[in-house]
mmCIF file of all heavy atoms in Angstrom:
data_model
loop_
_atom_site.group_PDB
_atom_site.id
_atom_site.type_symbol
_atom_site.label_atom_id
_atom_site.label_comp_id
_atom_site.label_asym_id
_atom_site.label_seq_id
_atom_site.Cartn_x
_atom_site.Cartn_y
_atom_site.Cartn_z
ATOM 1 N N ARG K 317 159.364 -114.217 97.746
ATOM 2 C CA ARG K 317 158.240 -113.950 96.847
ATOM 3 C C ARG K 317 157.976 -112.448 96.683
ATOM 4 O O ARG K 317 157.621 -111.979 95.618
ATOM 5 C CB ARG K 317 156.981 -114.623 97.387
ATOM 6 C CG ARG K 317 157.018 -116.158 97.388
ATOM 7 C CD ARG K 317 157.108 -116.703 96.008
ATOM 8 N NE ARG K 317 157.174 -118.167 96.021
ATOM 9 C CZ ARG K 317 157.572 -118.887 94.982
ATOM 10 N NH1 ARG K 317 157.925 -118.318 93.873
ATOM 11 N NH2 ARG K 317 157.593 -120.199 95.052
ATOM 12 N N MET K 318 158.216 -111.684 97.739
ATOM 13 C CA MET K 318 158.104 -110.253 97.638
ATOM 14 C C MET K 318 159.135 -109.679 96.645
ATOM 15 O O MET K 318 158.819 -108.858 95.789
ATOM 16 C CB MET K 318 158.342 -109.573 99.016
ATOM 17 C CG MET K 318 157.335 -109.992 100.073
ATOM 18 S SD MET K 318 157.888 -109.433 101.700
ATOM 19 C CE MET K 318 158.214 -107.745 101.352
ATOM 20 N N MET K 319 160.364 -110.144 96.780
ATOM 21 C CA MET K 319 161.428 -109.667 95.886
ATOM 22 C C MET K 319 161.167 -110.068 94.452
ATOM 23 O O MET K 319 161.385 -109.306 93.520
ATOM 24 C CB MET K 319 162.786 -110.198 96.363
ATOM 25 C CG MET K 319 163.193 -109.653 97.713
ATOM 26 S SD MET K 319 164.896 -110.148 98.135
ATOM 27 C CE MET K 319 164.810 -110.418 99.878
ATOM 28 N N GLN K 320 160.664 -111.295 94.288
ATOM 29 C CA GLN K 320 160.324 -111.755 92.933
ATOM 30 C C GLN K 320 159.239 -110.874 92.328
ATOM 31 O O GLN K 320 159.340 -110.484 91.148
ATOM 32 C CB GLN K 320 159.821 -113.202 92.978
ATOM 33 C CG GLN K 320 159.421 -113.771 91.622
ATOM 34 C CD GLN K 320 158.795 -115.160 91.805
ATOM 35 O OE1 GLN K 320 157.946 -115.380 92.688
ATOM 36 N NE2 GLN K 320 159.146 -116.086 90.934
ATOM 37 N N HIS K 321 158.225 -110.569 93.086
ATOM 38 C CA HIS K 321 157.156 -109.680 92.597
ATOM 39 C C HIS K 321 157.659 -108.311 92.206
ATOM 40 O O HIS K 321 157.345 -107.798 91.135
ATOM 41 C CB HIS K 321 156.065 -109.569 93.655
ATOM 42 C CG HIS K 321 155.045 -108.497 93.362
ATOM 43 N ND1 HIS K 321 154.034 -108.678 92.424
ATOM 44 C CD2 HIS K 321 154.919 -107.200 93.782
ATOM 45 C CE1 HIS K 321 153.336 -107.545 92.341
ATOM 46 N NE2 HIS K 321 153.847 -106.662 93.155
ATOM 47 N N MET K 322 158.508 -107.728 93.066
ATOM 48 C CA MET K 322 159.029 -106.380 92.826
ATOM 49 C C MET K 322 160.024 -106.361 91.630
ATOM 50 O O MET K 322 160.183 -105.390 90.931
ATOM 51 C CB MET K 322 159.644 -105.802 94.075
ATOM 52 C CG MET K 322 158.588 -105.576 95.157
ATOM 53 S SD MET K 322 159.266 -104.899 96.663
ATOM 54 C CE MET K 322 159.681 -103.266 96.147
ATOM 55 N N ASP K 323 160.746 -107.476 91.475
ATOM 56 C CA ASP K 323 161.644 -107.614 90.351
ATOM 57 C C ASP K 323 160.845 -107.581 89.041
ATOM 58 O O ASP K 323 161.263 -107.028 88.041
ATOM 59 C CB ASP K 323 162.432 -108.891 90.467
ATOM 60 C CG ASP K 323 163.470 -109.075 89.378
ATOM 61 O OD1 ASP K 323 164.307 -108.143 89.210
ATOM 62 O OD2 ASP K 323 163.511 -110.147 88.736
ATOM 63 N N ARG K 324 159.692 -108.222 89.035
ATOM 64 C CA ARG K 324 158.862 -108.299 87.810
ATOM 65 C C ARG K 324 157.960 -107.076 87.634
ATOM 66 O O ARG K 324 157.654 -106.704 86.504
ATOM 67 C CB ARG K 324 157.979 -109.575 87.906
ATOM 68 C CG ARG K 324 158.752 -110.877 87.879
ATOM 69 C CD ARG K 324 157.817 -112.058 88.104
ATOM 70 N NE ARG K 324 158.518 -113.323 88.001
ATOM 71 C CZ ARG K 324 157.932 -114.495 88.224
ATOM 72 N NH1 ARG K 324 156.639 -114.542 88.546
ATOM 73 N NH2 ARG K 324 158.621 -115.624 88.093
ATOM 74 N N ASP K 325 157.545 -106.476 88.775
ATOM 75 C CA ASP K 325 156.613 -105.329 88.690
ATOM 76 C C ASP K 325 157.108 -104.226 89.604
ATOM 77 O O ASP K 325 156.876 -104.204 90.782
ATOM 78 C CB ASP K 325 155.210 -105.805 89.129
ATOM 79 C CG ASP K 325 154.179 -104.693 88.986
ATOM 80 O OD1 ASP K 325 154.526 -103.559 88.651
ATOM 81 O OD2 ASP K 325 152.992 -104.983 89.262
ATOM 82 N N PRO K 326 157.881 -103.249 89.005
ATOM 83 C CA PRO K 326 158.485 -102.208 89.857
ATOM 84 C C PRO K 326 157.501 -101.053 90.251
ATOM 85 O O PRO K 326 157.943 -100.126 90.906
ATOM 86 C CB PRO K 326 159.591 -101.666 88.945
ATOM 87 C CG PRO K 326 159.081 -101.907 87.552
ATOM 88 C CD PRO K 326 158.309 -103.171 87.635
ATOM 89 N N ASP K 327 156.249 -101.176 89.908
ATOM 90 C CA ASP K 327 155.241 -100.139 90.249
ATOM 91 C C ASP K 327 155.219 -99.958 91.792
ATOM 92 O O ASP K 327 154.867 -100.880 92.515
ATOM 93 C CB ASP K 327 153.911 -100.550 89.732
ATOM 94 C CG ASP K 327 152.832 -99.463 89.981
ATOM 95 O OD1 ASP K 327 153.082 -98.531 90.788
ATOM 96 O OD2 ASP K 327 151.757 -99.584 89.375
ATOM 97 N N PRO K 328 155.615 -98.772 92.289
ATOM 98 C CA PRO K 328 155.675 -98.565 93.760
ATOM 99 C C PRO K 328 154.305 -98.723 94.439
ATOM 100 O O PRO K 328 154.244 -99.016 95.623
ATOM 101 C CB PRO K 328 156.226 -97.181 93.919
ATOM 102 C CG PRO K 328 155.965 -96.494 92.610
ATOM 103 C CD PRO K 328 156.045 -97.554 91.568
ATOM 104 N N ASP K 329 153.249 -98.521 93.699
ATOM 105 C CA ASP K 329 151.920 -98.658 94.281
ATOM 106 C C ASP K 329 151.448 -100.103 94.368
ATOM 107 O O ASP K 329 150.384 -100.357 94.917
ATOM 108 C CB ASP K 329 150.900 -97.825 93.501
ATOM 109 C CG ASP K 329 151.144 -96.315 93.609
ATOM 110 O OD1 ASP K 329 151.639 -95.889 94.679
ATOM 111 O OD2 ASP K 329 150.885 -95.600 92.638
ATOM 112 N N ARG K 330 152.245 -101.041 93.835
ATOM 113 C CA ARG K 330 151.895 -102.445 93.864
ATOM 114 C C ARG K 330 152.988 -103.222 94.672
ATOM 115 O O ARG K 330 153.194 -104.380 94.444
ATOM 116 C CB ARG K 330 151.799 -103.005 92.447
ATOM 117 C CG ARG K 330 150.490 -102.628 91.758
ATOM 118 C CD ARG K 330 150.414 -103.169 90.349
ATOM 119 N NE ARG K 330 150.567 -104.575 90.313
ATOM 120 C CZ ARG K 330 149.611 -105.491 90.493
ATOM 121 N NH1 ARG K 330 148.388 -105.064 90.819
ATOM 122 N NH2 ARG K 330 149.816 -106.761 90.370
ATOM 123 N N ARG K 331 153.655 -102.469 95.574
ATOM 124 C CA ARG K 331 154.650 -103.141 96.385
ATOM 125 C C ARG K 331 154.006 -104.035 97.391
ATOM 126 O O ARG K 331 152.812 -103.898 97.787
ATOM 127 C CB ARG K 331 155.476 -102.104 97.168
ATOM 128 C CG ARG K 331 156.434 -101.308 96.362
ATOM 129 C CD ARG K 331 157.144 -100.275 97.220
ATOM 130 N NE ARG K 331 156.202 -99.209 97.657
ATOM 131 C CZ ARG K 331 156.225 -98.619 98.844
ATOM 132 N NH1 ARG K 331 157.145 -99.010 99.746
ATOM 133 N NH2 ARG K 331 155.354 -97.690 99.137
ATOM 134 N N LEU K 332 154.745 -105.029 97.844
ATOM 135 C CA LEU K 332 154.371 -105.866 98.975
ATOM 136 C C LEU K 332 155.218 -105.478 100.178
ATOM 137 O O LEU K 332 156.421 -105.206 100.045
ATOM 138 C CB LEU K 332 154.627 -107.330 98.609
ATOM 139 C CG LEU K 332 153.686 -107.931 97.565
ATOM 140 C CD1 LEU K 332 154.214 -109.246 97.076
ATOM 141 C CD2 LEU K 332 152.246 -108.076 98.093
ATOM 142 N N ILE K 333 154.578 -105.382 101.341
ATOM 143 C CA ILE K 333 155.234 -104.879 102.515
ATOM 144 C C ILE K 333 155.296 -105.993 103.582
ATOM 145 O O ILE K 333 154.256 -106.564 103.951
ATOM 146 C CB ILE K 333 154.513 -103.657 103.122
ATOM 147 C CG1 ILE K 333 154.453 -102.530 102.096
ATOM 148 C CG2 ILE K 333 155.196 -103.206 104.381
ATOM 149 C CD1 ILE K 333 155.797 -101.973 101.696
ATOM 150 N N ALA K 334 156.535 -106.290 104.075
ATOM 151 C CA ALA K 334 156.692 -107.276 105.144
ATOM 152 C C ALA K 334 156.553 -106.557 106.477
ATOM 153 O O ALA K 334 157.087 -105.461 106.639
ATOM 154 C CB ALA K 334 158.075 -107.931 105.016
#
Side-chain angles (χ1 to χ4, degrees):
R317 294 296 180 196
M318 299 169 50
M319 295 187 215
Q320 179 187 43
H321 169 78
M322 294 179 69
D323 185 53
R324 295 174 176 176
D325 183 356
D327 184 345
D329 293 328
R330 286 178 56 82
R331 286 178 294 144
L332 291 167
I333 301 297

